[in-house]
């Protein structure tokens, strides 16, 4: 019971920044998909390498860009996973048994589950906070 009280105290201090969570939910997938598309654009040049032709500077630049995009997407994905695990751990609206599944799911389905969690919990949480602020402002008048 004491642990539950601490969790509620933590969530009172936790203010959800909807735009930050939106960026962290969608950006890793977008950046990784861009990296894969850039790599796919270089496939014809890579096929030419089989004919014992050296790659030109453009091909090397495209491949370097693809690798960098996928790497940055991977780092964003890791940061996003940590951010969403922290949020799920502090979210009092998730029952304890469900919380474990969400956290394990963030490890196993990194990227996709962040988007689902964003729409299921964060958007509703922000809407509730805005409604509460409006009601508090209405009561003061």
């Amino acid at each position: 019971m004491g642990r539950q009280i601490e969790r509620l105290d933590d969530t009172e201090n936790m203010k959800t920044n909807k735009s930050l969570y939106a960026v962290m939910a969608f950006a890793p997938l977008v950046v990784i998909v861009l990296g894969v598309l850039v790599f796919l654009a270089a496939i014809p040049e890579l096929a030419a390498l089989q004919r014992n032709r050296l790659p030109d500077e453009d091909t090397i630049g495209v491949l370097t860009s693809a690798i960098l995009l996928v790497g940055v997407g991977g780092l964003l994905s890791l940061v996003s996973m940590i951010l969403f695990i922290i949020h799920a751990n502090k979210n009092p609206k998730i029952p304890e048994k469900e919380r474990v599944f969400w956290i394990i799911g963030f490890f196993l389905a990194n990227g996709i589950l962040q988007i689902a969690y964003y729409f299921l919990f964060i958007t509703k949480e922000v809407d509730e906070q805005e409604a509460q602020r409006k009601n508090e402002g209405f009561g003061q008048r």
Side-chain angles (χ1 to χ4, degrees), residues 63-80:
L63 290 175
T64 304
S65 299
I67 291 169
L68 286 175
L69 281 170
V70 171
V72 167
L75 286 174
L76 279 173
S77 183
L78 179 66
V79 170
S80 173

Side-chain angles (χ1 to χ4, degrees), residues 19-89:
S19 56
L20 171 68
Y21 282 96
V23 167
M24 293 310 291
F26 292 100
L29 285 178
V30 170
V31 173
I32 289 172
V33 167
L34 283 174
V36 170
L37 291 175
V38 168
F39 178 76
L40 291 175
I43 286 181
E45 287 294 323
L46 293 174
L49 293 177
Q50 291 181 345
R51 295 187 291 264
N52 294 328
R53 202 184 77 179
L54 291 175
D56 57 353
E57 291 179 11
D58 292 338
T59 305
I60 293 172
V62 167
L63 290 175
T64 304
S65 299
I67 291 169
L68 286 175
L69 281 170
V70 171
V72 167
L75 286 174
L76 279 173
S77 183
L78 179 66
V79 170
S80 173
M81 180 180 65
I82 293 168
L83 182 70
F84 277 88
I85 286 173
I86 291 170
H87 191 278
N89 191 36

Side-chain angles (χ1 to χ4, degrees), residues 84-100:
F84 277 88
I85 286 173
I86 291 170
H87 191 278
N89 191 36
K90 292 182 177 183
N91 192 346
K93 296 187 183 208
I94 303 175
E96 193 69 34
K97 290 179 182 177
E98 244 184 77
R99 183 175 290 121
V100 172

